[in-house]
């Protein structure tokens, strides 16, 4: 998909519908795909404030997907979902340029002019699909076809920029800084949980009742 906001918003309800019918794995796959579409949307927000809001929405969805994964005993999937949300939050915190400025920094002045005109006419949520695809492709460095699908394989170095680090990447980073584990905290109104990615071994979960307090801010 070309990162249209409405499709991204629909992925979690669709995934939930699949889960209701017992198609748990398929539901998780749809939901995780929606997290990747959040990356497209964060890339194409017209202002820094919109980018931050999109990243917060992505992190909220990532937490929901992670809870689904844990309920299905897919701890590695939960870690992947949480990492997706974490990466987008970090990206939005570090990026201080709007989409037009980033396009011009890449030398795409004509595309930046088209984007600016589209913002005046209707805002980033109403950008024509072909323009959105062109902007996404330019900002991410990933070529897309007319339907918004990537024309390179999922293992290509450019497409990996849109994906969160995998378990092997996380373990390599942990070794580089001499850390024992990366721990994701998952507060909840019922009970809290931690997902632990150790430098060696499989991811695990740990119940944290103290994270269930309503006073804990997500």
């Amino acid at each position: 998909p070309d990162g249209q906001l409405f499709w991204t918003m629909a992925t979690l309800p669709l995934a939930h519908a699949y889960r209701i019918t017992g198609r748990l794995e398929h539901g998780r796959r749809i939901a995780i795909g929606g997290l990747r579409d959040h990356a497209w949307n964060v890339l194409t927000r017209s202002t820094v404030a919109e980018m931050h809001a999109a990243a917060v929405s992505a992190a909220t969805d990532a937490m929901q997907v992670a809870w689904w994964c844990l309920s299905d005993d897919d701890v590695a999937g939960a870690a992947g979902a949480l990492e997706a949300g974490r990466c987008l939050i970090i990206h939005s915190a570090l990026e201080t340029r709007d989409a037009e400025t980033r396009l011009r920094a890449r030398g795409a002045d004509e595309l930046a002019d088209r984007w600016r005109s589209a913002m005046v006419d209707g805002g980033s949520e109403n950008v024509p699909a072909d323009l959105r695809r062109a902007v996404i492709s330019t900002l991410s460095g990933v070529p897309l076809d007319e339907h918004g699908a990537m024309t390179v394989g999922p293992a290509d170095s450019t497409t990996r920029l849109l994906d969160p680090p995998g378990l092997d990447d996380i373990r390599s980073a942990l070794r580089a800084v001499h850390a024992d584990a990366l721990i994701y905290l998952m507060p909840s109104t019922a009970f809290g949980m931690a997902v632990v990615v150790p430098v060696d071994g499989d991811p695990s979960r740990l119940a944290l009742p103290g994270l269930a307090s309503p006073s804990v801010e997500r």
Side-chain angles (χ1 to χ4, degrees):
D2 62 13
Q4 288 286 358
L5 177 62
F6 297 117
W7 166 246
T8 308
M9 293 172 59
T11 53
L12 249 63
L14 178 60
H16 182 62
Y18 279 119
R19 292 181 63 78
I20 290 175
T21 62
R23 300 176 65 182
L24 303 182
E25 183 178 357
H26 189 66
R28 292 199 308 275
R29 192 160 59 245
I30 291 290
I32 290 171
L35 295 182
R36 184 170 193 171
D37 286 343
H38 271 300
W40 299 122
N41 286 319
V42 170
L43 278 173
T44 56
R45 294 301 90 187
S46 60
T47 67
V48 174
E50 287 183 1
M51 185 188 305
H52 292 172
V56 170
S57 177
T60 301
D61 284 1
M63 185 72 75
Q64 177 63 70
V65 176
W67 280 113
W68 284 344
C69 289
L70 289 181
S71 70
D72 299 343
D73 293 322
D74 181 8
V75 183
L82 292 168
E83 182 65 11
R86 186 181 77 92
C87 286
L88 289 177
I89 287 291
I90 291 174
H91 171 77
S92 70
L94 296 177
E95 181 58 76
T96 60
R97 302 167 299 169
D98 59 21
E100 180 186 345
T101 302
R102 283 178 283 145
L103 287 169
R104 295 195 188 282
R106 290 179 173 267
D109 289 335
E110 181 179 354
L111 191 57
D113 290 339
R114 292 176 58 198
W115 181 262
R116 181 176 57 186
S117 296
M119 294 304 98
V120 172
D121 292 340
S124 57
E125 294 183 7
N126 298 307
V127 170
D130 61 336
L131 177 55
R132 182 180 292 274
R133 284 194 296 271
V135 170
I136 288 173
S137 180
T138 299
L139 292 179
S140 65
V142 177
L144 304 174
D145 66 17
E146 61 180 332
H147 304 294
M150 293 181 296
T151 59
V152 290
D156 187 273
S157 59
T158 54
T159 66
R160 293 190 67 208
L161 294 173
L162 296 170
D163 290 324
L167 291 178
D168 289 340
D169 296 319
I170 293 173
R171 292 180 182 122
S172 294
L174 291 172
R175 293 188 185 98
V177 297
H178 306 289
D180 295 323
L182 176 61
I183 302 175
Y184 304 93
L185 299 180
M186 301 176 61
S188 170
T189 55
F191 61 91
M193 190 73 70
V195 172
V196 182
V197 179
V199 69
D200 293 302
D202 296 328
S204 62
R205 57 180 150 188
L206 176 67
L208 296 176
L211 280 180
S213 170
S215 63
V216 175
E217 293 185 1
R218 296 191 181 187

